[in-house]
């Protein structure tokens, strides 16, 4: 029995040995945040903020999964150079909370 589930991703399957533990860890972390308590409004709680980021990350994973692997192979060196450049940019950013590990774009910090 195959552990890959074929989807609408151009023949690329989802590896269940990767997906199931990942979702389990996510649910465990969300349960921990929820049990830590909801101080104030639900929409300002850490649980809600983390839930929003989890949903955004699933959308990003789905979007990146739709890209054909051949495209990654064709642009691997360019992507690698971009990531190294972004890593170097962090050394020139102002220190925040004692670390220079943030990239500032307006009011956003990455």
């Amino acid at each position: 029995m195959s552990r890959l589930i074929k989807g609408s991703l151009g023949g690329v399957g989802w590896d269940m040995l990767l997906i199931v533990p990942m979702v389990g860890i996510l649910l465990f972390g969300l349960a921990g945040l929820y049990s830590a308590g909801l101080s104030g409004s639900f929409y300002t709680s850490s649980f809600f903020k983390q839930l929003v980021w989890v949903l955004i990350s699933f959308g990003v994973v789905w979007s990146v999964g739709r890209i054909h692997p051949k495209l990654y192979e064709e642009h691997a060196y360019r992507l690698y150079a971009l990531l190294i450049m972004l890593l170097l940019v962090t050394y020139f950013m102002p220190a925040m909370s004692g670390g220079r590990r943030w990239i500032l774009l307006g009011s956003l910090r990455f």
Side-chain angles (χ1 to χ4, degrees), residues 23-66:
V23 170
I25 291 170
L26 276 170
L27 292 175
F28 188 73
L30 285 173
L33 278 175
Y34 185 77
S35 69
L38 297 174
S39 60
S41 171
F42 174 75
Y43 297 105
T44 60
S45 67
S46 295
F47 172 76
F48 180 74
K49 291 176 187 176
Q50 188 69 23
L51 183 62
V52 167
W53 282 112
V54 165
L55 295 176
I56 290 171
S57 68
F58 277 131
V60 169
V61 167
W62 181 79
S63 298
V64 171
R66 294 192 53 89

Side-chain angles (χ1 to χ4, degrees), residues 53 90 93-99 101-110:
W53 282 112
T90 60
M93 290 292 151
M96 291 188 168
S97 302
R101 58 187 171 265
W102 297 101
I103 296 177
L104 303 175
L105 291 176
S107 62
L108 297 176
R109 294 183 300 181
F110 295 97

Side-chain angles (χ1 to χ4, degrees), residues 1-5 16-17:
M1 178 178 222
S2 175
R3 64 179 205 220
L4 294 178
I5 292 184
M16 294 310 290
L17 287 178

